[in-house]
Amino acid sequence: MRMPDAVVSQIAALRWRANRLRCMTTTELAFRIGRALKNEAERVGIGGPGGVPPADLRKGGTTWLQAPDGVAAAPCLEAADRIVAGRIDVFALRDIDLGSPPRWNRDPKTGIEAPLSFGKRLDYRDPQLVGDIKYLWEPNRHQHLVTLAQAWALSRRERYLDAVRRHLDSWFTACPPGRGPNWASALEPALRLISWSATWQLLGGAEGPLFAGSDGAAFRRRWLDSVYHHQQFVRGHFSLHSSANNHLIGEAAGLFIGTATWPHWARSAEWRSTARAMLEREALLQNAPDGVNREQAVSYHRFVLELLLLPLLAARAAGAPFSARYGRRLEAMLGFLAAIMDVGGNVPGFGDADDAAVLRLSDDCPYRSLLATGAVLFRRGDLKVKAGVLDDKTRWLLGARAAADFDALPATGHPMRRAFPDGGYYVLGCEFETPAEIRLVADAGPLGYRSIAAHGHADALSFTLSVGGVPLLVDPGTYAYHTEPLWRAHFRGTGAHNTLRVDGCDQSEPGGNFMWLAKAGAGCNVWHATAETDVFEGWHDGYLRLADPVMHVRRIELDKRARRIVIEDRLKMRGAHEIELFFHAAEDCRVSDDGGGRFRLSCGAREATLTLPAAADASTRLHCGSLDPIAGWVSPRFDERRPAVTVHWHACLTGDAVLRTEIAC
């Protein structure tokens, strides 16, 4: 007999809470109890937000964003017109009628309207209660308001001003401070503050035409009241202890930018100082000296880099720059992105990805855009080469001199770093930045950050491979977060990565959608690169937890002249185990069986031959869009999955073993 959905949901919630407690120290547990008591007091009206002091507009805010010359106006105006008409894209939902203004507490994917109860007690992980919270939150980050403000700055058309005012007016009514899903997580108000800051600046600030007349002044007071509540909420609900990942950086960034834009209250200086100190500290804690973000997720690396970059720009505009250490860490993060990006502009999809953006100012490639911005800020010709061109987002961020500064950079610079020992990534390859390029990125890094490792995948010793800027073997992506648990488990499991699996088990033991319990350790034994050969050797201990422990060591060697990659998997074990190897082809890659354990991978004009290990009783299957088992899928964007070929090798082996795979490029 099937249990009701509500019962299943309650059991899952209890299991999640039990596992979450396992990941906490006693110090964190005491902190959580104290915060829960504080939240409960606020819920019943004790120590809540309270009134808002009058804003002193004589204290002018910092302007770090303005309409530049040379940007393409047409795409921005077209996007703004769609928003005025109520049409918008939200993840996999394209050109949906969200309304103008939208229903702010409704998930547009499922149609579920979340209750307007006390936000910090609302279980946003429960899809029966709130729907898919990612879809609900995305429009409430208000990045579409920035698009409307850009369109007004470029055209001065009144309808864009009217739409901004209409949307904000309705949001203030629908989402009172502290109530409902849009006040459940401090990151959401923080990201709204960043969008509001950009919108405010592009519309002319406190004296802009949006605030003309008595009605405009009343609307400005209402907006400023909400700004104050946002800043107060973020300051009181920082994500600390085991939750101190990208959320904490986002919260500090939102508070810093908010107080820089609106320094109108007595508490503004203290809030800004707190946010600044937190950004300085977390930039170094959450990003390794070699530039790799410690969450081990490339998409979150990009997200955090932008979160750190915008306060840097705001502080520079105010004449109070961040420390040199802060800037050097951002520069190192840019260097890592440049190293793993192939000549075609593709980056590996290691770890979680939810397509989050901090500030959408154009539709340019977000990775290349960051490199273009970094090239100008840090005067790096090598980043200019990787970026290719100066994009419109960089023009918006850096202003009138951006184009001249970009053009003045030489098309040379720092030699590319290829070993990132702190982050655990190593770049093997040859003929870089040419049509003949081979670029293989190997992963021997930790599972993720802090005790829950929220956004890491069980992907130790996996790799990606592109040839001539065309991805051939890929990390399949993420697809789902809070909903569809089977798919969430698949895409972050070991079988969804180009690595080896033992006995059908993930290398690390999951404890929830954003939590891992038993965590595989990993590292690199050997790395050397010469003109003729690159060699990487790594290990992981995730399968030592089995009754008969298994140690996995993988060696990858690239012979550059022969354009041949040899992958040697060494297994130290005593008993019999089911051993699987997975090779995930890119979505556009055709895979054909040439016989004898040899497979041809073709994508356009690019080809590679994959030769699998010879072993008694080994079998090989090709999966493409399989539902039983779930196999043969890639997720190019959040909440989208597409069929793609997975080459799946399987054998039952007893005792120590060595498996040899070859790839000819």
Side-chain angles (χ1 to χ4, degrees):
M1 180 178 177
R2 184 176 182 273
M3 288 187 292
D5 289 342
V7 175
V8 172
S9 180
Q10 289 174 0
I11 293 173
L14 288 172
R15 185 182 298 116
W16 178 87
R17 289 187 177 92
N19 287 336
R20 192 66 180 86
L21 287 171
R22 292 172 61 184
C23 297
M24 294 184 190
T25 64
T26 53
T27 300
E28 179 174 2
L29 186 57
F31 165 78
R32 298 283 181 184
I33 292 171
R35 176 165 282 185
L37 292 173
K38 176 178 176 289
N39 290 340
E40 184 62 18
E42 288 186 11
R43 187 184 69 83
V44 298
I46 302 172
V52 178
D56 184 357
L57 296 180
R58 294 172 299 177
K59 299 177 181 178
T62 300
T63 299
W64 49 271
L65 189 66
Q66 52 193 324
D69 297 326
V71 298
C76 183
L77 298 180
E78 290 170 7
D81 287 338
R82 288 177 61 229
I83 294 166
V84 171
R87 313 297 299 188
I88 197 170
D89 298 336
V90 185
F91 299 127
L93 300 179
R94 302 293 176 186
D95 197 37
I96 60 168
D97 185 0
L98 202 64
S100 186
R103 291 169 59 179
W104 299 109
N105 296 303
R106 177 179 176 268
D107 164 25
K109 180 181 177 182
T110 65
I112 293 175
E113 188 94 19
L116 206 61
S117 55
F118 184 67
K120 293 304 292 182
R121 291 287 301 276
L122 183 66
D123 186 3
Y124 60 80
R125 299 175 184 86
D126 183 356
Q128 303 297 319
L129 183 66
V130 301
D132 189 330
I133 194 63
K134 287 291 297 176
Y135 276 87
L136 191 154
W137 276 342
E138 187 66 16
N140 285 279
R141 292 182 174 184
H142 286 183
Q143 298 199 35
H144 68 284
L145 298 187
V146 181
T147 303
L148 292 170
Q150 288 177 281
W152 180 84
L154 293 171
S155 70
R156 292 300 193 267
R157 294 173 185 169
E158 290 291 324
R159 66 173 176 272
Y160 303 132
L161 283 180
D162 293 341
V164 169
R165 180 168 176 172
R166 186 169 65 253
H167 281 221
L168 283 172
D169 257 334
S170 71
W171 195 90
F172 300 148
T173 299
C175 307
R179 315 298 296 186
N182 292 306
W183 296 91
S185 166
L187 180 61
E188 300 310 309
L191 293 176
R192 265 193 306 278
L193 282 171
I194 294 174
S195 295
W196 286 3
S197 172
T199 302
W200 180 276
Q201 293 174 68
L202 292 173
L203 296 183
E207 303 305 322
L210 192 61
F211 309 126
S214 58
D215 288 346
F219 172 70
R220 181 175 62 193
R221 285 194 299 272
R222 200 175 182 203
W223 193 354
L224 289 171
D225 283 354
S226 192
V227 165
Y228 183 89
H229 283 306
H230 274 64
Q231 294 177 357
Q232 185 181 50
F233 183 88
V234 173
R235 177 63 184 89
H237 295 94
F238 282 137
S239 299
L240 301 174
H241 296 281
S242 59
S243 297
N245 55 12
N246 70 86
H247 280 231
L248 182 58
I249 287 179
E251 290 151 11
L255 184 60
F256 182 85
I257 288 173
T259 53
T261 307
W262 300 284
H264 307 312
W265 299 279
R267 301 181 67 184
S268 296
E270 181 270 325
W271 286 341
R272 183 163 59 254
S273 176
T274 297
R276 183 189 183 101
M278 189 166 288
L279 287 167
E280 288 273 10
R281 182 179 72 247
E282 295 300 320
L284 303 182
L285 284 176
Q286 295 195 35
N287 303 288
D290 61 11
V292 177
N293 179 261
R294 295 189 190 276
E295 294 206 70
Q296 307 299 131
V298 173
S299 179
Y300 280 90
H301 181 106
R302 171 188 56 77
F303 183 62
V304 166
L305 181 52
E306 188 173 359
L307 284 170
L308 295 171
L309 176 65
L310 297 182
L312 178 76
L313 298 178
R316 286 188 178 191
F322 280 83
S323 69
R325 291 190 309 167
Y326 185 94
R328 286 195 297 270
R329 194 56 54 93
L330 267 64
E331 191 173 356
M333 294 176 73
L334 289 161
F336 172 67
L337 281 186
I340 64 173
M341 178 185 287
D342 70 19
V343 68
N346 307 290
V347 297
F350 297 122
D352 270 348
D354 69 351
D355 298 343
V358 182
L359 199 57
R360 286 192 176 93
L361 294 169
S362 74
D363 289 330
D364 298 291
C365 169
Y367 292 98
R368 283 189 158 168
S369 174
L370 275 170
L371 293 175
T373 303
V376 176
L377 283 176
F378 298 106
R379 300 178 183 177
R380 292 274 299 266
D382 59 321
L383 299 183
K384 170 185 175 178
V385 171
K386 295 294 293 195
V389 297
L390 185 73
D391 64 297
D392 278 352
K393 182 171 182 176
T394 299
R395 295 175 192 272
W396 284 98
L397 289 175
L398 301 185
R401 286 194 52 82
D405 291 344
F406 186 82
D407 290 342
L409 290 170
T412 57
H414 297 58
M416 184 184 77
R417 182 173 185 172
R418 296 171 56 199
F420 299 86
D422 298 311
Y425 296 103
Y426 297 83
V427 181
L428 294 76
C430 61
E431 301 187 69
F432 291 115
E433 315 308 333
T434 74
E437 172 187 275
I438 296 174
R439 192 177 301 252
L440 183 152
V441 184
D443 176 8
L447 177 63
Y449 188 53
R450 293 190 175 271
S451 62
I452 59 174
H455 292 297
H457 287 188
D459 59 359
L461 305 188
S462 66
F463 69 94
T464 62
L465 173 66
S466 71
V467 178
V470 177
L472 295 180
L473 294 174
V474 301
D475 184 300
T478 298
Y479 179 57
Y481 266 10
H482 295 281
T483 59
E484 302 196 66
L486 290 178
W487 289 98
R488 174 66 171 153
H490 166 73
F491 273 101
R492 67 178 188 151
T494 300
H497 300 88
N498 299 317
T499 188
L500 179 148
R501 186 168 70 181
V502 178
D503 294 341
C505 299
D506 289 334
Q507 298 163 349
S508 297
E509 180 186 346
N513 282 340
F514 298 94
M515 188 187 343
W516 295 91
L517 300 177
K519 304 175 185 67
C524 177
N525 295 325
V526 177
W527 165 256
H528 65 78
T530 68
E532 295 79 25
T533 308
D534 287 348
V535 178
F536 157 85
E537 183 179 285
W539 58 270
H540 84 81
D541 61 8
Y543 294 123
L544 293 184
R545 75 182 193 273
L546 299 178
D548 176 48
V550 179
M551 187 69 185
H552 180 202
V553 177
R554 169 169 277 188
R555 182 181 179 90
I556 304 177
E557 183 171 339
L558 167 64
D559 182 333
K560 299 179 185 182
R561 292 178 179 173
R563 297 178 68 85
R564 182 177 65 248
I565 299 162
V566 176
I567 303 169
E568 187 178 87
D569 289 298
R570 298 200 302 272
L571 300 170
K572 185 175 179 59
M573 56 192 184
R574 293 181 179 178
H577 294 274
E578 301 289 328
I579 305 299
E580 299 166 282
L581 289 169
F582 298 91
F583 300 92
H584 298 276
E587 178 186 354
D588 296 330
C589 189
R590 300 184 306 278
V591 180
S592 57
D593 186 346
D594 289 352
R598 186 176 291 109
F599 296 84
R600 185 171 302 277
L601 283 65
S602 306
C603 191
R606 299 295 173 186
E607 284 193 352
T609 300
L610 171 69
T611 303
L612 297 177
D617 300 321
S619 63
T620 304
R621 295 180 62 187
L622 299 183
H623 299 286
C624 186
S626 170
L627 296 176
D628 186 16
I630 295 177
W633 298 92
V634 297
S635 175
R637 282 175 292 277
F638 182 75
D639 203 34
E640 288 188 18
R641 67 176 191 264
R642 298 177 184 172
V645 177
T646 294
V647 181
H648 177 204
W649 180 94
H650 172 270
C652 181
L653 304 178
T654 302
D656 294 349
V658 178
L659 304 175
R660 181 185 173 95
T661 302
E662 291 191 10
I663 304 174
C665 302

mmCIF file with all atom_site columns, all heavy atoms in Angstrom, residues 305-318:
data_model
loop_
_atom_site.group_PDB
_atom_site.id
_atom_site.type_symbol
_atom_site.label_atom_id
_atom_site.label_alt_id
_atom_site.label_comp_id
_atom_site.label_asym_id
_atom_site.label_entity_id
_atom_site.label_seq_id
_atom_site.pdbx_PDB_ins_code
_atom_site.Cartn_x
_atom_site.Cartn_y
_atom_site.Cartn_z
_atom_site.occupancy
_atom_site.B_iso_or_equiv
_atom_site.pdbx_formal_charge
_atom_site.auth_seq_id
_atom_site.auth_comp_id
_atom_site.auth_asym_id
_atom_site.auth_atom_id
_atom_site.pdbx_PDB_model_num
ATOM 1   N N   . LEU A 1 305 ? 32.533 34.320 -7.619  1.00 0.00 ? 305 LEU A N   1
ATOM 2   C CA  . LEU A 1 305 ? 33.439 35.313 -8.195  1.00 0.00 ? 305 LEU A CA  1
ATOM 3   C C   . LEU A 1 305 ? 32.707 36.606 -8.507  1.00 0.00 ? 305 LEU A C   1
ATOM 4   O O   . LEU A 1 305 ? 33.195 37.707 -8.226  1.00 0.00 ? 305 LEU A O   1
ATOM 5   C CB  . LEU A 1 305 ? 34.091 34.729 -9.452  1.00 0.00 ? 305 LEU A CB  1
ATOM 6   C CG  . LEU A 1 305 ? 35.094 35.598 -10.207 1.00 0.00 ? 305 LEU A CG  1
ATOM 7   C CD1 . LEU A 1 305 ? 36.177 36.141 -9.289  1.00 0.00 ? 305 LEU A CD1 1
ATOM 8   C CD2 . LEU A 1 305 ? 35.716 34.792 -11.348 1.00 0.00 ? 305 LEU A CD2 1
ATOM 9   N N   . GLU A 1 306 ? 31.499 36.503 -9.053  1.00 0.00 ? 306 GLU A N   1
ATOM 10  C CA  . GLU A 1 306 ? 30.725 37.711 -9.345  1.00 0.00 ? 306 GLU A CA  1
ATOM 11  C C   . GLU A 1 306 ? 30.255 38.381 -8.057  1.00 0.00 ? 306 GLU A C   1
ATOM 12  O O   . GLU A 1 306 ? 30.255 39.616 -7.962  1.00 0.00 ? 306 GLU A O   1
ATOM 13  C CB  . GLU A 1 306 ? 29.537 37.382 -10.240 1.00 0.00 ? 306 GLU A CB  1
ATOM 14  C CG  . GLU A 1 306 ? 28.811 38.630 -10.726 1.00 0.00 ? 306 GLU A CG  1
ATOM 15  C CD  . GLU A 1 306 ? 27.725 38.349 -11.742 1.00 0.00 ? 306 GLU A CD  1
ATOM 16  O OE1 . GLU A 1 306 ? 27.527 37.177 -12.112 1.00 0.00 ? 306 GLU A OE1 1
ATOM 17  O OE2 . GLU A 1 306 ? 27.046 39.319 -12.155 1.00 0.00 ? 306 GLU A OE2 1
ATOM 18  N N   . LEU A 1 307 ? 29.872 37.581 -7.067  1.00 0.00 ? 307 LEU A N   1
ATOM 19  C CA  . LEU A 1 307 ? 29.467 38.156 -5.781  1.00 0.00 ? 307 LEU A CA  1
ATOM 20  C C   . LEU A 1 307 ? 30.598 38.940 -5.137  1.00 0.00 ? 307 LEU A C   1
ATOM 21  O O   . LEU A 1 307 ? 30.367 39.946 -4.463  1.00 0.00 ? 307 LEU A O   1
ATOM 22  C CB  . LEU A 1 307 ? 29.015 37.042 -4.834  1.00 0.00 ? 307 LEU A CB  1
ATOM 23  C CG  . LEU A 1 307 ? 27.635 36.437 -5.077  1.00 0.00 ? 307 LEU A CG  1
ATOM 24  C CD1 . LEU A 1 307 ? 27.444 35.184 -4.227  1.00 0.00 ? 307 LEU A CD1 1
ATOM 25  C CD2 . LEU A 1 307 ? 26.527 37.447 -4.788  1.00 0.00 ? 307 LEU A CD2 1
ATOM 26  N N   . LEU A 1 308 ? 31.829 38.501 -5.320  1.00 0.00 ? 308 LEU A N   1
ATOM 27  C CA  . LEU A 1 308 ? 32.978 39.207 -4.764  1.00 0.00 ? 308 LEU A CA  1
ATOM 28  C C   . LEU A 1 308 ? 33.397 40.382 -5.641  1.00 0.00 ? 308 LEU A C   1
ATOM 29  O O   . LEU A 1 308 ? 33.941 41.381 -5.144  1.00 0.00 ? 308 LEU A O   1
ATOM 30  C CB  . LEU A 1 308 ? 34.148 38.238 -4.595  1.00 0.00 ? 308 LEU A CB  1
ATOM 31  C CG  . LEU A 1 308 ? 33.939 37.113 -3.578  1.00 0.00 ? 308 LEU A CG  1
ATOM 32  C CD1 . LEU A 1 308 ? 35.075 36.098 -3.670  1.00 0.00 ? 308 LEU A CD1 1
ATOM 33  C CD2 . LEU A 1 308 ? 33.839 37.666 -2.163  1.00 0.00 ? 308 LEU A CD2 1
ATOM 34  N N   . LEU A 1 309 ? 33.154 40.276 -6.923  1.00 0.00 ? 309 LEU A N   1
ATOM 35  C CA  . LEU A 1 309 ? 33.562 41.316 -7.862  1.00 0.00 ? 309 LEU A CA  1
ATOM 36  C C   . LEU A 1 309 ? 32.730 42.592 -7.713  1.00 0.00 ? 309 LEU A C   1
ATOM 37  O O   . LEU A 1 309 ? 33.269 43.710 -7.735  1.00 0.00 ? 309 LEU A O   1
ATOM 38  C CB  . LEU A 1 309 ? 33.450 40.778 -9.288  1.00 0.00 ? 309 LEU A CB  1
ATOM 39  C CG  . LEU A 1 309 ? 33.739 41.757 -10.422 1.00 0.00 ? 309 LEU A CG  1
ATOM 40  C CD1 . LEU A 1 309 ? 35.197 42.191 -10.386 1.00 0.00 ? 309 LEU A CD1 1
ATOM 41  C CD2 . LEU A 1 309 ? 33.404 41.123 -11.772 1.00 0.00 ? 309 LEU A CD2 1
ATOM 42  N N   . LEU A 1 310 ? 31.416 42.464 -7.548  1.00 0.00 ? 310 LEU A N   1
ATOM 43  C CA  . LEU A 1 310 ? 30.563 43.652 -7.486  1.00 0.00 ? 310 LEU A CA  1
ATOM 44  C C   . LEU A 1 310 ? 30.882 44.534 -6.278  1.00 0.00 ? 310 LEU A C   1
ATOM 45  O O   . LEU A 1 310 ? 30.959 45.762 -6.421  1.00 0.00 ? 310 LEU A O   1
ATOM 46  C CB  . LEU A 1 310 ? 29.087 43.242 -7.504  1.00 0.00 ? 310 LEU A CB  1
ATOM 47  C CG  . LEU A 1 310 ? 28.613 42.523 -8.780  1.00 0.00 ? 310 LEU A CG  1
ATOM 48  C CD1 . LEU A 1 310 ? 27.138 42.209 -8.697  1.00 0.00 ? 310 LEU A CD1 1
ATOM 49  C CD2 . LEU A 1 310 ? 28.930 43.338 -10.020 1.00 0.00 ? 310 LEU A CD2 1
ATOM 50  N N   . PRO A 1 311 ? 31.074 43.990 -5.067  1.00 0.00 ? 311 PRO A N   1
ATOM 51  C CA  . PRO A 1 311 ? 31.521 44.851 -3.962  1.00 0.00 ? 311 PRO A CA  1
ATOM 52  C C   . PRO A 1 311 ? 32.867 45.511 -4.238  1.00 0.00 ? 311 PRO A C   1
ATOM 53  O O   . PRO A 1 311 ? 33.109 46.651 -3.817  1.00 0.00 ? 311 PRO A O   1
ATOM 54  C CB  . PRO A 1 311 ? 31.605 43.889 -2.777  1.00 0.00 ? 311 PRO A CB  1
ATOM 55  C CG  . PRO A 1 311 ? 30.635 42.812 -3.101  1.00 0.00 ? 311 PRO A CG  1
ATOM 56  C CD  . PRO A 1 311 ? 30.732 42.643 -4.589  1.00 0.00 ? 311 PRO A CD  1
ATOM 57  N N   . LEU A 1 312 ? 33.762 44.803 -4.937  1.00 0.00 ? 312 LEU A N   1
ATOM 58  C CA  . LEU A 1 312 ? 35.044 45.409 -5.309  1.00 0.00 ? 312 LEU A CA  1
ATOM 59  C C   . LEU A 1 312 ? 34.827 46.664 -6.142  1.00 0.00 ? 312 LEU A C   1
ATOM 60  O O   . LEU A 1 312 ? 35.457 47.714 -5.906  1.00 0.00 ? 312 LEU A O   1
ATOM 61  C CB  . LEU A 1 312 ? 35.880 44.385 -6.084  1.00 0.00 ? 312 LEU A CB  1
ATOM 62  C CG  . LEU A 1 312 ? 37.237 44.866 -6.593  1.00 0.00 ? 312 LEU A CG  1
ATOM 63  C CD1 . LEU A 1 312 ? 38.238 44.939 -5.449  1.00 0.00 ? 312 LEU A CD1 1
ATOM 64  C CD2 . LEU A 1 312 ? 37.763 43.940 -7.689  1.00 0.00 ? 312 LEU A CD2 1
ATOM 65  N N   . LEU A 1 313 ? 33.908 46.590 -7.110  1.00 0.00 ? 313 LEU A N   1
ATOM 66  C CA  . LEU A 1 313 ? 33.619 47.752 -7.957  1.00 0.00 ? 313 LEU A CA  1
ATOM 67  C C   . LEU A 1 313 ? 32.971 48.872 -7.149  1.00 0.00 ? 313 LEU A C   1
ATOM 68  O O   . LEU A 1 313 ? 33.313 50.048 -7.317  1.00 0.00 ? 313 LEU A O   1
ATOM 69  C CB  . LEU A 1 313 ? 32.713 47.338 -9.113  1.00 0.00 ? 313 LEU A CB  1
ATOM 70  C CG  . LEU A 1 313 ? 33.276 46.296 -10.089 1.00 0.00 ? 313 LEU A CG  1
ATOM 71  C CD1 . LEU A 1 313 ? 32.239 45.963 -11.156 1.00 0.00 ? 313 LEU A CD1 1
ATOM 72  C CD2 . LEU A 1 313 ? 34.563 46.796 -10.724 1.00 0.00 ? 313 LEU A CD2 1
ATOM 73  N N   . ALA A 1 314 ? 32.027 48.507 -6.276  1.00 0.00 ? 314 ALA A N   1
ATOM 74  C CA  . ALA A 1 314 ? 31.365 49.523 -5.462  1.00 0.00 ? 314 ALA A CA  1
ATOM 75  C C   . ALA A 1 314 ? 32.353 50.203 -4.527  1.00 0.00 ? 314 ALA A C   1
ATOM 76  O O   . ALA A 1 314 ? 32.311 51.429 -4.334  1.00 0.00 ? 314 ALA A O   1
ATOM 77  C CB  . ALA A 1 314 ? 30.222 48.885 -4.662  1.00 0.00 ? 314 ALA A CB  1
ATOM 78  N N   . ALA A 1 315 ? 33.257 49.431 -3.923  1.00 0.00 ? 315 ALA A N   1
ATOM 79  C CA  . ALA A 1 315 ? 34.244 50.005 -3.000  1.00 0.00 ? 315 ALA A CA  1
ATOM 80  C C   . ALA A 1 315 ? 35.218 50.915 -3.727  1.00 0.00 ? 315 ALA A C   1
ATOM 81  O O   . ALA A 1 315 ? 35.606 51.981 -3.222  1.00 0.00 ? 315 ALA A O   1
ATOM 82  C CB  . ALA A 1 315 ? 34.990 48.883 -2.283  1.00 0.00 ? 315 ALA A CB  1
ATOM 83  N N   . ARG A 1 316 ? 35.630 50.513 -4.928  1.00 0.00 ? 316 ARG A N   1
ATOM 84  C CA  . ARG A 1 316 ? 36.533 51.366 -5.711  1.00 0.00 ? 316 ARG A CA  1
ATOM 85  C C   . ARG A 1 316 ? 35.851 52.684 -6.071  1.00 0.00 ? 316 ARG A C   1
ATOM 86  O O   . ARG A 1 316 ? 36.472 53.749 -6.024  1.00 0.00 ? 316 ARG A O   1
ATOM 87  C CB  . ARG A 1 316 ? 36.980 50.635 -6.977  1.00 0.00 ? 316 ARG A CB  1
ATOM 88  C CG  . ARG A 1 316 ? 37.985 49.529 -6.738  1.00 0.00 ? 316 ARG A CG  1
ATOM 89  C CD  . ARG A 1 316 ? 38.516 48.995 -8.060  1.00 0.00 ? 316 ARG A CD  1
ATOM 90  N NE  . ARG A 1 316 ? 39.529 47.965 -7.862  1.00 0.00 ? 316 ARG A NE  1
ATOM 91  C CZ  . ARG A 1 316 ? 40.300 47.475 -8.823  1.00 0.00 ? 316 ARG A CZ  1
ATOM 92  N NH1 . ARG A 1 316 ? 40.150 47.902 -10.078 1.00 0.00 ? 316 ARG A NH1 1
ATOM 93  N NH2 . ARG A 1 316 ? 41.201 46.550 -8.576  1.00 0.00 ? 316 ARG A NH2 1
ATOM 94  N N   . ALA A 1 317 ? 34.587 52.594 -6.438  1.00 0.00 ? 317 ALA A N   1
ATOM 95  C CA  . ALA A 1 317 ? 33.863 53.815 -6.788  1.00 0.00 ? 317 ALA A CA  1
ATOM 96  C C   . ALA A 1 317 ? 33.745 54.754 -5.597  1.00 0.00 ? 317 ALA A C   1
ATOM 97  O O   . ALA A 1 317 ? 33.707 55.974 -5.757  1.00 0.00 ? 317 ALA A O   1
ATOM 98  C CB  . ALA A 1 317 ? 32.471 53.463 -7.322  1.00 0.00 ? 317 ALA A CB  1
ATOM 99  N N   . ALA A 1 318 ? 33.693 54.187 -4.392  1.00 0.00 ? 318 ALA A N   1
ATOM 100 C CA  . ALA A 1 318 ? 33.589 54.998 -3.172  1.00 0.00 ? 318 ALA A CA  1
ATOM 101 C C   . ALA A 1 318 ? 34.934 55.483 -2.685  1.00 0.00 ? 318 ALA A C   1
ATOM 102 O O   . ALA A 1 318 ? 35.012 56.212 -1.687  1.00 0.00 ? 318 ALA A O   1
ATOM 103 C CB  . ALA A 1 318 ? 32.897 54.180 -2.083  1.00 0.00 ? 318 ALA A CB  1
#
